[in-house]
Amino acid sequence: ETVKLAEKNPRLMKLLFINSQKLLAESIERIDDFIVLSPEERYVKFEEQNPGLAARIQLKHMASYIGVTPISLSRIRSRLRDKSD
């Protein structure tokens, strides 16, 4: 459906192409983060990119997003709190 519509409308095709590029770049960045960053660094990056979101979502969802168990996330948060004190 969308492809047929985009073939008829060059502006829509350009929009789809730009969005596809953006999604691909974001996916590559997430993969790179899992390879290069530690779980603690991924948590810090999540907090920096999504200020206040952690207070609105369940910790199990955030843990899943950064690739750790909820227990590990709890430990990471505790360590970071201790460092900031």
Side-chain angles (χ1 to χ4, degrees):
E1 273 306 302
T2 306
V3 174
K4 288 181 184 179
L5 186 60
E7 287 173 353
K8 296 177 184 177
N9 187 336
R11 287 176 25 195
L12 180 60
M13 180 68 86
K14 183 177 179 179
L15 181 64
L16 288 172
F17 180 73
I18 290 169
N19 283 340
S20 296
Q21 282 183 317
K22 183 179 175 184
L23 288 172
L24 180 60
E26 289 171 359
S27 296
I28 290 171
E29 182 180 357
R30 271 190 46 84
I31 292 168
D32 284 346
D33 286 351
F34 272 89
I35 294 169
V36 176
L37 302 178
S38 70
E40 191 169 302
E41 291 168 327
R42 290 195 303 267
Y43 171 77
V44 170
K45 184 174 181 178
F46 176 87
E47 285 286 328
E48 289 171 352
Q49 291 180 339
N50 306 285
L53 183 61
R56 299 190 320 255
I57 63 172
Q58 293 182 14
L59 292 183
K60 67 179 183 179
H61 297 301
M62 186 180 0
S64 174
Y65 184 82
I66 65 171
V68 298
T69 65
I71 293 168
S72 294
L73 177 59
S74 230
R75 290 180 184 137
I76 289 168
R77 290 165 53 112
S78 179
R79 274 195 307 270
L80 290 173
R81 253 192 318 266
D82 291 346
K83 283 182 185 178
S84 69
D85 291 340

